[in-house]
């Protein structure tokens, strides 16, 4: 993986290429809203030394000191090389630089690769909830406190709203 660089990008051309990579993912996730993606707090790209974008991930748009991770995708030709982990580590670094106090992510129950990625990066599993999209899918909520004195329980409760917890 030493030939992969993890960089923040705000360049419209690169963001468009990253959006294409997300659009081409091979799971059953919901369609990407390109404008919402472009408005992310930070988009991290995984690029080869030649400049090819082989992965991307973001800290979604938001306000305050709580950040949501999303849009993690790695090109099928580059999987199982630690790129997803590198993208997650870079997002943690960026979140700290932005002054965020906590990061969270929601992961579908069947997405064991993303779950393992977060846990390896130090995230804590919090709880499972039913998807609000009416799919019947179970979605796990994960968090990582980035500073001391963070009341993760209160923050997570404020984020889940009226979602239904699974047992």
């Amino acid at each position: 993986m030493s030939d992969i660089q993890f960089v923040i990008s705000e360049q419209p051309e690169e963001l468009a290429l990253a959006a294409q990579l997300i659009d081409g993912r091979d799971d059953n996730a919901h369609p990407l809203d390109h404008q919402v993606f472009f408005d992310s707090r930070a988009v991290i790209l995984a690029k080869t030394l030649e400049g090819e974008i082989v992965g991307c991930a973001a800290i979604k748009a938001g306000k305050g000191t709580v950040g949501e991770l999303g849009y993690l995708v790695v090109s099928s030709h580059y999987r199982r090389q630690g790129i997803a982990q590198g993208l997650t580590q870079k997002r943690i670094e960026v979140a700290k630089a932005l002054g965020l106090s906590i990061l969270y992510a929601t992961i579908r129950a069947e997405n064991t690769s993303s779950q393992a990625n977060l846990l390896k990066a130090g995230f804590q599993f919090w709880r499972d909830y039913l998807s609000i999209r009416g799919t019947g899918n179970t979605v796990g909520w994960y968090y990582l406190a980035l500073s001391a004195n963070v009341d993760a329980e209160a923050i997570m409760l404020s984020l889940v709203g009226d979602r239904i917890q699974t047992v």
Side-chain angles (χ1 to χ4, degrees):
M1 190 178 68
S2 62
D3 59 341
I4 300 294
Q5 303 169 344
F6 300 97
V7 297
I8 299 171
S9 181
E10 296 178 357
Q11 297 180 21
E13 312 82 38
E14 288 186 334
L15 295 178
L17 290 171
Q20 286 179 1
L21 186 61
I22 296 167
D23 285 335
R25 64 189 163 206
D26 53 6
D27 63 11
N28 64 353
H30 56 282
L32 176 67
D33 181 326
H34 287 224
Q35 191 56 55
V36 171
F37 173 67
F38 297 152
D39 290 340
S40 295
R41 289 187 190 193
V43 175
I44 312 301
L45 303 178
K47 297 170 72 173
T48 64
L49 296 179
E50 296 79 27
E52 178 186 3
I53 297 170
V54 298
C56 68
I59 301 172
K60 293 181 174 184
K63 295 180 181 176
T65 62
V66 176
E68 181 182 6
L69 299 186
Y71 311 121
L72 174 64
V73 66
V74 175
S75 170
S76 60
H77 302 296
Y78 287 86
R79 292 185 184 150
R80 298 285 183 223
Q81 298 179 34
I83 294 171
Q85 190 68 45
L87 287 163
T88 297
Q89 288 299 329
K90 184 68 173 180
R91 287 186 292 177
I92 293 169
E93 291 172 23
V94 169
K96 289 177 180 177
L98 291 172
L100 301 182
S101 63
I102 192 168
L103 286 173
Y104 77 97
T106 58
I107 307 294
R108 289 188 323 275
E110 67 273 11
N111 191 345
T112 56
S113 295
S114 288
Q115 293 166 7
N117 176 34
L118 290 180
L119 293 171
K120 188 174 181 180
F123 279 73
Q124 302 293 313
F125 170 74
W126 186 58
R127 294 181 184 151
D128 283 326
Y129 287 85
L130 290 177
S131 170
I132 61 170
R133 291 193 172 85
T135 61
N137 291 337
T138 297
V139 178
W141 287 64
Y142 296 79
Y143 73 90
L144 178 67
L146 300 174
S147 60
N149 304 322
V150 171
D151 187 348
E153 181 74 13
I155 292 170
M156 296 303 288
L157 282 171
S158 74
L159 295 170
V160 297
D162 60 359
R163 290 174 176 85
I164 299 171
Q165 185 176 354
T166 62
V167 182

